[in-house]
Amino acid sequence: MENTHNFILPKTNLIGVGAIKDLPNELLAWKLSKALIVTDKNMISLGYVENVEKILKNLFISYDIFDGILHPNPTVSFVEDGLAYFKKGLNVLRNYKLIISIGGGTNHDCAKAIAMVATNGGSIIDYEGYNKVTKPPLPQISINTTAGSGAELSMFTIIVDNSRKVKMTIASPFLTPYITVNDPIFMTTMPKEVTASSGFDVVSHAIEAYVSTEASPLTDSFALEAIRIAFEYLPRAYENGNDLEAKEKMMYANIMAAMAFNNAGLGYVHSMAHQLGGFYGQTHGCYNGILVPYVFEFNSVSIPKERIMKLCEAMGTSTQDTSQAIDIIIDSIRRLTAKIEIPGKLRDMGLKENDIEILSQNAMKDITAFTNPRKGSVEDFISLFKSAY
């Protein structure tokens, strides 16, 4: 019986304290003429963009800066603005050969979308779903400043279509960046709320990848270690933004969780959180933090006992009783979210009961739902939303 698993990653990943210093060596062989930097004004004010500008200048690579990412939810309008900037006066001197994203997941997602539509044409909306990209995008380098969405090394881009109030999931191996940079020095300035939301995104990625129908021994090893690290170090990173050890550990957890979900897929937590983000525009990781206990309990009847036990161990506890292990996992998740001050209910993040039915219908269609371990109905989604309300 065939049982194959593809494993997709960026070609080169520069990781660790000071990793940004290795980027020039990677760029030398490319003989590039021009780059477009995709970022936001905060990254400019923090000096992170200037660091990259110096590298490009030393290599005689000309560049322009698009800083039109205005808030932490990537939208169709941001992508269209970037493409308009990209095309403005396009000629030989403005023939971009590279996209460099600097920031967190929103910036990386927008950069992927810009790079892809620039070579494939049409609108970003045309590519919602899996494997609809037919031509390679412009090469992308993702310089990451959060830990994190994992967007810097995944083949996914998540873009909000405000006209439909839908957070689109677009997936293709073509969208995988060529080079990633994860340097914790860039992560010490994260506000506490970003540390919390992005940090719990790591946990949700790892849990969903571990119980996914496409999990493999490779993704399992990354997912379990990411969970173990996050439960130990996320509270420290949240309490002290200058704790470089905790930031570095969370950086590794982010990378491992992203490697896991990029190849195993996700589940109902993300298919639901995407809809909430599309409707209300609040922080994705916080939606995940509220949803994970409810979705895990729903899924638990379809998760093999040994996997439940290993999850429990990764969170720091062991037991031989399956029911007790499920309770421990749910309680451990809730204690972690309480430590990092993630809201307890979806009503605290804007959910309106009248929207639950349409949110549930949309969640069923999200491609992240396809690898959930238990197959549910619209009514199941309605029940999950109401439980978390």
Side-chain angles (χ1 to χ4, degrees), residues 124-161:
I124 187 62
I125 297 170
D126 301 333
Y127 300 95
E128 183 178 5
Y130 181 70
N131 242 5
K132 294 184 180 179
V133 184
T134 58
K135 299 176 184 176
L138 287 169
Q140 185 190 349
I141 294 175
S142 300
I143 299 171
N144 196 37
T145 64
T146 63
S149 70
E152 78 279 4
L153 56 75
S154 79
M155 62 176 171
F156 296 85
T157 183
I158 312 296
I159 304 292
V160 177
D161 178 3

Side-chain angles (χ1 to χ4, degrees), residues 18 65 87 89 95 153 175 217 288 319 340 347 386:
I65 299 172
K87 293 175 181 176
N95 191 9
L153 56 75
L175 290 174
N288 289 348
T319 177
I340 59 175
R347 70 169 69 94
K386 285 185 175 178

Side-chain angles (χ1 to χ4, degrees), residues 87-96:
K87 293 175 181 176
K88 186 168 58 182
L90 188 64
N91 55 42
V92 174
L93 295 176
R94 296 181 65 88
N95 191 9
Y96 298 105

Side-chain angles (χ1 to χ4, degrees), residues 216-387:
S216 71
L218 272 175
T219 60
D220 287 351
S221 62
F222 287 125
L224 288 173
E225 184 63 7
I227 291 166
R228 188 193 67 75
I229 291 172
F231 269 78
E232 182 174 355
Y233 288 98
L234 178 53
R236 270 179 56 179
Y238 177 73
E239 287 300 327
N240 180 6
N242 294 314
D243 186 338
L244 194 58
E245 181 189 17
K247 293 287 185 180
E248 184 176 28
K249 294 289 189 181
M250 284 305 301
M251 175 202 70
Y252 279 110
N254 166 54
I255 293 166
M256 287 185 280
M259 287 178 177
F261 87 75
N262 196 44
N263 295 283
L266 293 163
Y268 284 178
V269 171
H270 277 77
S271 66
M272 294 170 72
H274 288 163
Q275 311 321 313
L276 291 161
F279 259 64
Y280 309 113
Q282 295 196 43
T283 311
H284 172 72
C286 291
Y287 288 133
N288 289 348
I290 297 168
L291 287 167
V292 166
Y294 300 98
V295 174
F296 182 79
E297 186 172 24
F298 171 81
N299 284 335
S300 61
V301 296
S302 299
I303 302 171
K305 176 181 177 179
E306 63 271 17
R307 297 182 84 76
I308 289 173
M309 296 306 180
K310 285 183 179 178
L311 265 180
C312 192
E313 289 168 9
M315 294 177 188
T317 310
S318 62
T319 177
Q320 296 304 310
D321 182 88
T322 306
S323 178
Q324 186 180 35
I326 292 167
D327 290 340
I328 289 170
I329 290 166
I330 291 170
D331 181 62
S332 297
I333 293 164
R334 287 190 168 134
R335 282 190 284 111
L336 177 61
T337 56
K339 284 179 186 176
I340 59 175
E341 299 180 276
I342 284 177
K345 289 289 185 177
L346 292 178
R347 70 169 69 94
D348 301 325
M349 294 189 65
L351 175 60
K352 298 173 184 174
E353 281 194 276
N354 290 342
D355 293 332
I356 286 177
E357 186 165 350
I358 184 64
L359 290 167
S360 299
Q361 290 169 0
N362 290 343
M364 277 285 291
K365 301 171 190 172
D366 192 297
I367 63 172
T368 60
F370 299 161
T371 48
N372 196 70
R374 180 181 175 186
K375 301 309 172 192
S377 62
V378 171
E379 288 70 28
D380 289 318
F381 277 106
I382 290 171
S383 177
L384 285 167
F385 274 120
K386 285 185 175 178
S387 296

